[in-house]
Amino acid sequence: MTPALAAIPGLLFVTLCYVALCAVSPFGNCRKCNGLGFQLKTNRRGKPMRGKHCRRCDGHGKRIRVGRWLYNRASRLHHDGTH
């Protein structure tokens, strides 16, 4: 059995797990603000304080996952093509 042939079931498993994750939870935490909706700053004493409003997630702290974005785009394209 070649290594490429042995890797196929593993890649298929990882892909199906990601598809299930996108179906169950289409939104993930924003990578820029870690799901807070704003940047954390520290004052001179080292105490964390609220910083600027996150522009990437518009302050919501959530972003759409890449797999869900691709599914939405394909679904919209199919719908527009058949109706």
Side-chain angles (χ1 to χ4, degrees), residues 24-67:
V24 172
S25 176
F27 295 99
N29 286 337
C30 176
R31 292 184 298 261
K32 187 172 183 179
C33 65
N34 294 324
L36 294 174
F38 55 88
Q39 295 176 347
L40 277 179
K41 295 172 78 175
T42 56
N43 61 6
R44 288 183 276 176
R45 295 182 184 175
K47 179 181 174 185
M49 296 179 61
R50 184 181 179 114
K52 286 184 175 181
H53 180 77
C54 181
R55 293 187 301 166
R56 180 179 285 174
C57 64
D58 196 31
H60 295 289
K62 296 290 180 186
R63 61 167 181 85
I64 193 158
R65 294 184 195 276
V66 175

Side-chain angles (χ1 to χ4, degrees), residues 1-12:
M1 181 177 268
T2 64
L5 191 59
I8 290 173
L11 291 173
L12 186 63

